[in-house]
Amino acid sequence: MVLNDNRRIIAVADPVALAKAAAERLLSRIAGNGDRVAICLTGGSSPKQLYELLGNEPYRGQIPWDRVHWFIGDERFVPAGNALNNMRMARQAFLNRCAPLVNIHPMATGAADPDEAAHRYETELKSFYGADSLDPARPLFDVVLMGVGPDGHTASLFPGYPATDEKERWVVGVPNAHVEPFVSRVTLTLPALGSCHEMLFEVSGADKRAILTRVLAGEDLPAGRAVSVGETTWLVDRAALPENFREQ
Ligand code: 6PG
């Protein structure tokens, strides 16, 4: 089903089907770009199954690892080896086994503070992109993966926080999180996350249904404001699907 603002919702049976559907979409975006590919990963628990699929056949053999670059949309400001580190989860699930080290782009959580880490990541993204401002006709990323938190946050863009309104910066530091884990964060902003051919949300489980109902009803929440300059797809499993979308 397509919402009136061009966001598409795709309902699937369960978390297994969700991870497969996400892997298929990711592969088709990679296949559609014969040049250098940029994927922006997300943290949280939702994408873990997808990451494991990507690191195993039949998906692994279909990814041209040498020309795919892996970024992270937000990071907890903890050391790279800390269990809370988002890129660590992606590395352990598939990147360390599959991707060349130079194609993995973690945030510098060893920097003095989250602002410094944000500044460094923004510089890295600008250098990768080859320009200091984003051109909607030439998106930064092929795919940006996203999740939604219980308060409607996405990446580390929390409701009512200034980072959510940021229009100029590509990456900002977030001193305090609004939900667990209560560690400082570093996050891409909405303009940077939206600079992609496809933004792909993964939402599963009954505990996501309440917040998804609010987001899809149009409440002003960060996850609802997050849209791509290209396509925005919400992959949702049956347990998370709001009541009013079930009959459609
Ligand atoms: C993080 C995330 C965050 C996450 C949502 C959903 O660092 O925590 O990037 O935005 O995607 O909170 O998390 P779950 O997938 O664990 O529900």
Side-chain angles (χ1 to χ4, degrees):
M1 59 211 93
V2 180
L3 298 176
N4 55 9
D5 52 12
N6 254 343
R7 286 178 298 175
R8 178 184 302 272
I9 299 171
I10 299 178
V12 296
D14 52 34
V16 174
L18 188 102
K20 277 191 186 163
E24 300 291 345
R25 294 192 79 85
L26 209 95
L27 281 178
S28 112
R29 287 287 169 187
I30 293 174
N33 179 355
D35 206 339
R36 189 180 64 167
V37 175
I39 309 287
C40 187
L41 301 172
T42 183
S45 52
S46 307
K48 195 155 183 248
Q49 248 177 306
L50 163 66
Y51 296 167
E52 279 159 3
L53 282 185
L54 295 175
N56 287 291
E57 298 303 344
Y59 301 103
R60 181 177 179 163
Q62 295 175 55
I63 298 175
W65 295 98
D66 283 348
R67 60 181 180 85
V68 182
H69 288 255
W70 307 90
F71 295 86
I72 191 85
D74 77 307
E75 190 55 273
R76 287 92 178 259
F77 194 67
V78 294
N82 186 295
L84 292 176
N85 189 281
N86 283 336
M87 195 53 124
R88 174 180 184 263
M89 188 272 278
R91 293 182 83 134
Q92 289 193 337
F94 76 117
L95 292 177
N96 283 350
R97 287 183 293 118
C98 305
L101 195 57
V102 289
N103 291 11
I104 306 173
H105 302 264
M107 290 187 184
T109 53
D113 54 45
D115 286 337
E116 171 61 23
H119 180 72
R120 285 202 216 166
Y121 210 55
E122 181 164 320
T123 303
E124 182 169 351
L125 283 170
K126 286 180 171 171
S127 140
F128 181 86
Y129 185 65
D132 282 348
S133 60
L134 294 164
D135 174 0
R138 187 173 71 84
L140 169 59
F141 299 113
D142 291 83
V143 179
V144 171
L145 295 172
M146 300 280 257
V148 56
D151 56 350
H153 80 258
T154 191
S156 285
L157 298 167
F158 299 104
Y161 279 37
T164 306
D165 294 319
E166 178 60 46
K167 304 274 187 298
E168 301 302 325
R169 299 284 312 275
W170 295 17
V171 190
V172 294
V174 178
N176 305 297
H178 190 238
V179 294
E180 282 187 356
F182 293 106
V183 293
S184 309
R185 313 290 185 99
V186 183
T187 187
L188 268 64
T189 58
L190 289 174
L193 292 164
S195 181
C196 58
H197 289 283
E198 181 166 2
M199 181 179 280
L200 190 56
F201 280 88
E202 278 190 282
V203 191
S204 72
D207 58 342
K208 289 284 163 86
R209 197 190 302 163
I211 190 59
L212 191 58
T213 304
R214 291 171 57 196
V215 170
L216 297 181
E219 198 174 319
D220 184 20
L221 292 164
R225 287 201 207 172
V227 285
S228 166
V229 295
E231 280 182 46
T232 307
T233 308
W234 285 73
L235 279 177
V236 181
D237 82 352
R238 220 182 140 64
L241 201 63
E243 286 300 333
N244 53 325
F245 284 88
R246 293 182 163 235
E247 307 80 39
Q248 293 175 32

